[in-house]
Amino acid sequence: MPARSRLRHQALATGSALALTLLNCFQPLHAAEDVALVSGAFIRSISVADLAYLAETGKARGLLSDLLRLGKQDPQNVAKLLNQELDLPLVLTSRLMSTKIGDVILRRVAKIIYPLRVPEPSVSVPAIRAGVINGLQIGEGGLNMVKFLEAYPADVMEINLPALMAAIEKAESIAGLVKFFSDSPLDGLKESGQ
């Protein structure tokens, strides 16, 4: 890429990050209040405050307590997942989410999470971008699930459970495939043939 084009991209990314920072300084942060778990006609909402409480104390309350008990999940383990932090540079993350590959990834994630009853990518993709960027600002470069929810710009974030389960199955099958080939018996054949 020519130096002039590279400089223009860097200036655009820096300007975008600065604009987001300034906008957030002058506007109140709008955060998700509930997470709606949806599967067909089934819908159950969990308050973000209950998730934050679980992340902070390791103890579940309200409907979340019932769901964890029914799912035979240990609240301590779920709290660890909620607190698992990713360290991401704000400007680089913003730039990556604006690339073609970033857009493809965001569109796939947007099939799983989106504002309640608004799965259109024209709404859900910018909401995810905003949640990530604003969450990174809240966390000063670190992002976890609670910070993302606190920065998500819709009152209720929907999680499409069938889409989530399909993604988990796909990830597990890919992990199994990688493990199969990494533990491949062909390695022994290569060593004996040399």
Side-chain angles (χ1 to χ4, degrees), residues 97-131:
M97 286 193 301
S98 297
T99 64
K100 286 183 181 181
I101 187 98
D103 190 57
V104 168
I105 291 168
L106 289 174
R107 284 178 180 275
R108 287 188 180 174
V109 172
K111 291 179 182 177
I112 299 169
I113 62 171
Y114 40 85
L116 186 63
R117 304 289 183 216
V118 188
E120 289 82 25
S122 63
V123 175
S124 55
V125 169
I128 294 169
R129 275 192 185 109

Side-chain angles (χ1 to χ4, degrees), residues 10 107 153 166 175 178 188:
Q10 289 173 343
R107 284 178 180 275
V178 169

Side-chain angles (χ1 to χ4, degrees), residues 15-164:
S16 297
L18 182 59
L20 283 171
T21 302
L22 290 174
L23 284 173
N24 285 330
C25 290
F26 297 115
Q27 293 180 346
L29 188 61
H30 188 85
E33 295 173 13
D34 292 309
V35 174
L37 306 173
V38 179
S39 179
F42 168 83
I43 183 169
R44 288 288 180 249
S45 292
I46 301 170
S47 84
V48 172
D50 286 348
L51 289 167
Y53 179 81
L54 173 62
E56 187 177 314
T57 65
K59 297 176 185 172
R61 65 183 184 190
L63 177 62
L64 182 57
S65 175
D66 296 336
L67 289 174
L68 292 178
R69 189 174 57 253
L70 287 172
K72 298 179 182 175
Q73 297 296 314
D74 180 19
Q76 295 286 333
N77 290 338
V78 175
K80 286 178 188 176
L81 287 173
L82 291 171
N83 287 314
Q84 191 170 13
E85 190 140 327
L86 298 170
D87 292 321
L88 303 167
L90 179 64
V91 175
L92 180 61
T93 303
S94 177
R95 287 175 61 192
L96 286 173
M97 286 193 301
S98 297
T99 64
K100 286 183 181 181
I101 187 98
D103 190 57
V104 168
I105 291 168
L106 289 174
R107 284 178 180 275
R108 287 188 180 174
V109 172
K111 291 179 182 177
I112 299 169
I113 62 171
Y114 40 85
L116 186 63
R117 304 289 183 216
V118 188
E120 289 82 25
S122 63
V123 175
S124 55
V125 169
I128 294 169
R129 275 192 185 109
V132 170
I133 297 301
N134 293 336
L136 284 171
Q137 284 184 309
I138 291 170
E140 298 176 357
L143 183 68
N144 65 27
M145 191 60 188
V146 173
K147 290 175 190 168
F148 174 76
L149 290 171
E150 289 173 347
Y152 193 78
D155 290 335
V156 181
M157 181 182 80
E158 180 175 334
I159 298 179
N160 181 325
L161 292 177
L164 176 63

